[in-house]
Amino acid sequence: MRRIYGYIIGVALLGGMATGAQAAPEAKRQIGYDDIAGGKLAARSVYGLRAMEDGEHYTTLSRNGDVLRWRYADGALVDTLFRRPEGFPQVSDYAIGRDGRQMLLTTGREPIYRHSSRADYYVYDRTTGDLRPLSVGGKQQEATLSPDGTQAAFVRDNDLFVVDLSAPAADGTFVERQITHDGVRGSIINGIPDWVYEEEYSFARAYEWAPGSDAIAFYRFDESGVREYSMNTFRGGLYPENYNFKYPKAGEMNSVVGIRIYRFDGDSIVDVDLASGADSTDIYVPRIEWAATGRDGDGARLAVHWLNRLQNHYRILLADATTGATSVLYEERDPRYIERIDNETATFLPEGRGFVVKSERDGWMHLYRYDMAGRLQNRITEGAWEVTALYGIDAKRGRVYYQSTEDSPLGRGIYSVGLNGRGKRRLSAADEAGTHTAVFGPGYRYWIDYFSNSETPTVVTLRRVADGGAVRVLEDNAALRGRIAAEYTLPRKEFFTFTTPEGTTLNGYLLLPADFDSTRRYPVLMTQYSGPGSQQVTDKWGWSWEAALVREGILVACVDGRGTGFRGAEFRKCTYGNLGGLEVQDQIAAARYLGSLPYVDPARIGIYGWSFGGFMALNCILKGNDVFALAVAVAPVTSWRYYDTIYTELYNGLPQDNAAGYDDNSPIFFADRLKGKLLLAHGTGDDNVHIQNSYEMIERLVRAGKPFEMAIYPDKNHGMGSSRDHLLRRAIEFVKCGL
């Protein structure tokens, strides 16, 4: 599910609420929506740096499509690896072979869904200067170079192809070898994911080169049994057209997934055994990766990450690349669910030295080290805090680099620790409270520190790994800080906690105007997402549209209720099987708490949300109709029966087993409770949360005779695209007039 929400951050973090009116300097002005939408308060950052294998250099893509090489130590431009010829298509992405000779250039990209696209790829040989199209048979998907740089692979029309880059044909084109021949739209997919895998497991390339470039492991999806969803598309035509795609809704049939290995030596394909003692083929494979299994050069095996349909039983299967036979390397169960499997769940060490697992088996997300026989060697991290990112493992020095909530769940710090769990060291500065994220280069000589907090726009610093010392500042946003000081009086952000009637302590923040007057009674708009594992109450820089309401005399509040992330598994998983139950209780409790404050008007409290947040906003104004006077619900889920299998069943189980969990909190069943003002917005081209959700809500509201406002955006997807600005301006006016 797309998590659409913005952080609403001011620049003054004070310990207590102000008393009395405070006049803002006349020369400055409070921020408005145009300032936020126009990026006038957005912090500059450093994007697109790609570390090279030597650990001393990095590359960037210039605006005109050149690929440049730079030196970490002093930031000097070393050379130009590719200079775009005049008339050549604009380059949007690139990849460099391990030996640095071949480059793969992406042009003409056409988006499909959230992560996927089609494009025209070109191969540039830096030795000869030859620049050739990878294929002349039509746009390709997910082209990659082989590890040795002599071949490339891509997907076209649901089939997997390989190209030998060392032997172009006489006419200068590359000769394609078609690996699979059964790809059919709506039926069989090879090498790319189906819709639900792409959306929920966040990948668009469903194949992996073997380290020796002698094999390719790939997914095969049989989605012939998956039911289709049909969307009208308008695009200004006389007659609308239907766009159909396979979308498995909760409790319905998924694609049957298989993992296959193509071997170059025998031009053959073997099927990986995914059963491995399991009694069902109704499973998920959220990741595959190649793993070294020994130091004696016995090659690599394929690690297959396996989940049952309920996603509470997780295995790592180790597959023989020749026969496809598998054995269970690692196994974990949870009474509710296993947290999302991603690229950091298991990290294999080189030369068969074992692997590191990220697991919350003790109630907190931590790191554990195993050998290649699947035996636990030691814990790496431990405590009542969570590892939030695993940045890398330097196997040579035996060090692990990670991000965590060790100081506070509202911030992030960067640390390193030995693979043996000893010798932990803080890499981010102890006196820089807030949010640090990091990028580590090969060889672990340098790392880039991205730091911000509610008072500090992003500062990007290149640092040494050895001692954490700064090499140079890449971006300090001095210009932004100067502009703010000269032109704006920003809202104040106050963090707070409160305890619900059930005894749960929740984190929140309030945005107050610079001229806050504690003797007034202000209306409040609560903004939230509230989905499982999400977090909005964080100490970092950033602005969202809601902040424009502050100058209109409307306070903005946000509270992370139960089910949100980074406070341990129990806090997050207590909502399992009852999505929207405890979450709505907590937002209603938060509204009551805010309404009890002497400077808040309890009769003028509204709530806003998008996607899961829209589901919450609807439920809050319906079930909390004595508390909320207004709601803005954008692209809401109105019944979890309408949403996809992977996301919904992870948190709510199967509807066949848990009807109450699906229906007791569906807003379509509570439309008759509406008392306040409601703005409901949706895009007709939303492939994620289908407009069916809002149409059903509209029907129930009409039946109940309830007035409401609606905004329908033709052909717009879940993010609303070019209509987003129109929607947000409409929301601002709706809140101003409604509160």
Side-chain angles (χ1 to χ4, degrees):
M1 169 170 276
R2 182 185 295 270
R3 297 176 179 178
I4 296 185
Y5 47 84
Y7 294 104
I8 310 175
I9 312 294
V11 291
L13 177 59
L14 304 181
M17 298 295 186
T19 56
Q22 298 179 1
E26 293 184 0
K28 299 181 181 181
R29 59 189 178 87
Q30 297 187 61
I31 61 172
Y33 176 75
D34 287 336
D35 299 308
I36 298 168
K40 294 181 180 179
L41 301 172
R44 291 170 56 89
S45 190
V46 176
Y47 304 103
L49 271 63
R50 299 189 183 182
M52 300 194 74
E53 289 294 326
D54 63 6
E56 298 290 347
H57 298 88
Y58 61 90
T59 60
T60 61
L61 180 66
S62 71
R63 290 184 178 180
N64 67 351
D66 296 343
V67 179
L68 310 175
R69 176 162 57 183
W70 308 79
R71 187 162 50 234
Y72 272 121
D74 55 10
L77 176 62
V78 177
D79 60 1
T80 300
L81 301 183
F82 171 76
R83 189 176 301 280
R84 185 170 72 93
E86 184 176 352
F88 188 77
Q90 181 60 45
V91 177
S92 59
D93 200 1
Y94 67 97
I96 304 173
R98 189 176 295 169
D99 63 359
R101 174 177 175 176
Q102 302 282 15
M103 297 181 65
L104 191 63
L105 308 169
T106 307
T107 70
R109 182 178 180 272
E110 298 175 354
I112 303 174
Y113 298 121
R114 187 198 295 251
H115 303 287
S116 57
S117 64
R118 298 181 186 88
D120 295 311
Y121 294 89
Y122 288 82
V123 178
Y124 175 62
D125 189 317
R126 294 185 57 235
T127 302
T128 65
D130 290 337
L131 180 60
R132 311 171 194 268
L134 176 61
S135 172
V136 294
K139 286 185 180 291
Q140 308 98 55
Q141 289 182 249
E142 300 303 316
T144 61
L145 294 170
S146 63
D148 64 7
T150 64
Q151 302 174 89
F154 65 85
V155 175
R156 185 174 60 233
D157 298 330
N158 287 8
D159 277 317
L160 183 63
F161 294 78
V162 171
V163 170
D164 184 352
L165 303 181
S166 64
D171 62 358
T173 61
F174 294 113
V175 178
E176 301 174 359
R177 181 194 306 182
Q178 188 167 345
I179 302 304
T180 64
H181 298 268
D182 57 349
V184 178
R185 188 184 187 279
S187 181
I188 303 298
I189 311 172
N190 295 290
I192 53 175
D194 66 357
W195 185 93
V196 73
Y197 266 67
E198 177 179 341
E199 172 66 25
E200 302 301 351
Y201 290 139
S202 302
F203 66 88
R205 175 170 55 83
Y207 69 87
E208 295 290 339
W209 283 96
S213 303
D214 56 348
I216 298 178
F218 63 95
Y219 285 74
R220 180 185 186 272
F221 293 92
D222 181 350
E223 61 175 1
S224 56
V226 180
R227 298 179 66 179
E228 285 188 340
Y229 183 79
S230 179
M231 292 192 305
N232 283 130
T233 58
F234 303 96
R235 302 191 180 101
L238 184 61
Y239 290 91
E241 297 179 358
N242 283 337
Y243 178 75
N244 300 322
F245 63 104
K246 297 298 183 86
Y247 185 106
K249 298 198 175 190
E252 296 290 307
M253 183 174 179
N254 277 314
S255 295
V256 177
V257 62
I259 304 299
R260 315 189 82 189
I261 300 175
Y262 172 77
R263 297 189 59 84
F264 287 85
D265 54 8
D267 190 24
S268 60
I269 293 177
V270 298
D271 291 303
V272 174
D273 177 14
L274 297 180
S276 191
D279 57 3
S280 174
T281 58
D282 194 8
I283 61 168
Y284 297 113
V285 181
R287 288 292 188 276
I288 59 173
E289 60 185 308
W290 290 91
T293 57
R295 304 184 186 185
D296 54 359
D298 65 349
R301 294 191 179 186
L302 185 69
V304 179
H305 299 258
W306 179 102
L307 276 172
N308 66 336
R309 175 76 181 249
L310 290 177
Q311 301 171 77
N312 58 12
H313 181 194
Y314 168 54
R315 290 169 164 169
I316 300 176
L317 306 179
L318 207 56
D320 184 285
T322 303
T323 66
T326 57
S327 59
V328 178
L329 177 65
Y330 175 84
E331 192 163 21
E332 185 175 342
R333 297 176 186 266
D334 189 282
R336 288 172 284 200
Y337 60 86
I338 303 290
E339 185 52 45
R340 293 297 187 95
I341 306 301
D342 57 24
N343 294 337
E344 297 177 8
T345 302
T347 303
F348 285 87
L349 304 176
E351 299 180 340
R353 298 178 186 173
F355 59 101
V356 172
V357 169
K358 198 170 153 189
S359 168
E360 56 183 358
R361 68 189 63 174
D362 71 346
W364 303 88
M365 189 64 76
H366 282 295
L367 303 175
Y368 301 81
R369 183 185 182 185
Y370 285 79
D371 66 17
M372 287 307 294
R375 295 178 298 235
L376 176 65
Q377 300 299 289
N378 58 270
R379 291 190 64 136
I380 299 175
T381 60
E382 185 174 6
W385 46 270
E386 303 212 323
V387 172
T388 47
L390 175 58
Y391 289 124
I393 301 174
D394 182 356
K396 182 178 179 181
R397 297 178 179 86
R399 302 292 295 179
V400 180
Y401 301 92
Y402 65 93
Q403 179 197 62
S404 80
T405 61
E406 189 161 355
D407 291 329
S408 165
L410 274 60
R412 302 290 187 270
I414 311 300
Y415 295 82
S416 76
V417 67
L419 273 168
N420 58 8
R422 298 192 290 270
K424 184 169 70 173
R425 182 161 59 92
R426 180 197 293 268
L427 298 181
S428 54
D431 60 351
E432 290 182 342
T435 300
H436 293 262
T437 59
V439 175
F440 286 81
Y444 297 93
R445 297 181 180 89
Y446 301 99
W447 68 287
I448 299 176
D449 181 13
Y450 296 79
F451 165 70
S452 75
N453 59 30
S454 59
E455 298 176 322
T456 310
T458 305
V459 177
V460 186
T461 307
L462 177 68
R463 298 186 180 276
R464 292 182 295 272
V465 172
D467 59 7
V471 177
R472 54 192 173 92
V473 175
L474 305 179
E475 176 60 66
D476 62 4
N477 276 292
L480 173 60
R481 286 183 280 124
R483 183 165 65 250
I484 290 172
E487 300 179 22
Y488 296 102
T489 299
L490 296 179
R492 303 200 327 260
K493 185 180 185 185
E494 301 279 356
F495 290 103
F496 66 89
T497 62
F498 81 99
T499 302
T500 68
E502 295 82 11
T504 303
T505 299
L506 301 180
N507 296 321
Y509 69 71
L510 264 171
L511 275 185
L512 308 175
D515 58 352
F516 173 71
D517 182 354
S518 64
T519 65
R520 286 182 55 186
R521 304 198 87 182
Y522 293 87
V524 174
L525 178 71
M526 293 174 59
T527 179
Q528 49 75 50
Y529 178 77
S530 301
S534 65
Q535 185 180 34
Q536 286 186 275
V537 182
T538 57
D539 189 7
K540 65 189 296 186
W541 181 264
W543 297 88
S544 188
W545 69 273
E546 302 97 320
L549 294 168
V550 177
R551 77 173 185 181
E552 307 296 336
I554 300 172
L555 307 186
V556 176
C558 181
V559 171
D560 281 337
R562 283 171 289 182
T564 58
F566 311 107
R567 293 183 57 183
E570 185 56 37
F571 186 87
R572 188 180 72 257
K573 293 182 179 181
C574 66
T575 62
Y576 177 75
N578 192 33
L579 279 182
L582 299 179
E583 301 97 320
V584 170
Q585 288 181 29
D586 286 350
Q587 294 301 314
I588 292 174
R592 294 189 189 280
Y593 165 76
L594 292 167
S596 71
L597 299 176
Y599 46 83
V600 171
D601 184 346
R604 293 190 294 163
I605 297 177
I607 189 165
Y608 153 79
W610 195 309
S611 195
F612 194 107
F615 160 77
M616 288 289 297
L618 283 173
N619 267 321
C620 285
I621 198 170
L622 298 175
K623 293 189 173 185
N625 57 13
D626 59 333
V627 176
F628 293 100
L630 172 149
V632 177
V634 182
V637 173
T638 61
S639 170
W640 288 109
R641 294 179 183 271
Y642 301 151
Y643 201 59
D644 75 55
T645 50
I646 293 178
Y647 183 94
T648 312
E649 294 169 10
L650 176 68
Y651 303 119
N652 231 23
L654 292 167
Q656 295 92 324
D657 302 332
N658 183 27
Y662 278 78
D663 299 335
D664 288 356
N665 300 306
S666 290
I668 58 175
F669 296 121
F670 304 96
D672 61 341
R673 297 189 185 183
L674 180 65
K675 292 181 180 179
K677 301 177 178 68
L678 171 64
L679 172 61
L680 180 62
H682 219 124
T684 67
D686 192 336
D687 63 284
N688 185 356
V689 179
H690 305 147
I691 198 170
Q692 173 188 14
N693 287 269
S694 285
Y695 285 164
E696 289 293 336
M697 192 72 229
I698 290 167
E699 174 65 16
R700 300 300 179 105
L701 290 167
V702 171
R703 285 187 201 173
K706 298 297 181 179
F708 62 96
E709 294 191 28
M710 58 186 288
I712 301 298
Y713 293 92
D715 296 328
K716 295 304 179 286
N717 63 17
H718 198 55
M720 295 296 184
S722 59
S723 296
R724 188 181 181 90
D725 181 75
H726 181 277
L727 168 60
L728 295 181
R729 291 181 187 275
R730 177 71 193 94
I732 289 172
E733 290 304 311
F734 182 78
V735 174
K736 283 170 55 179
C737 296
L739 292 181

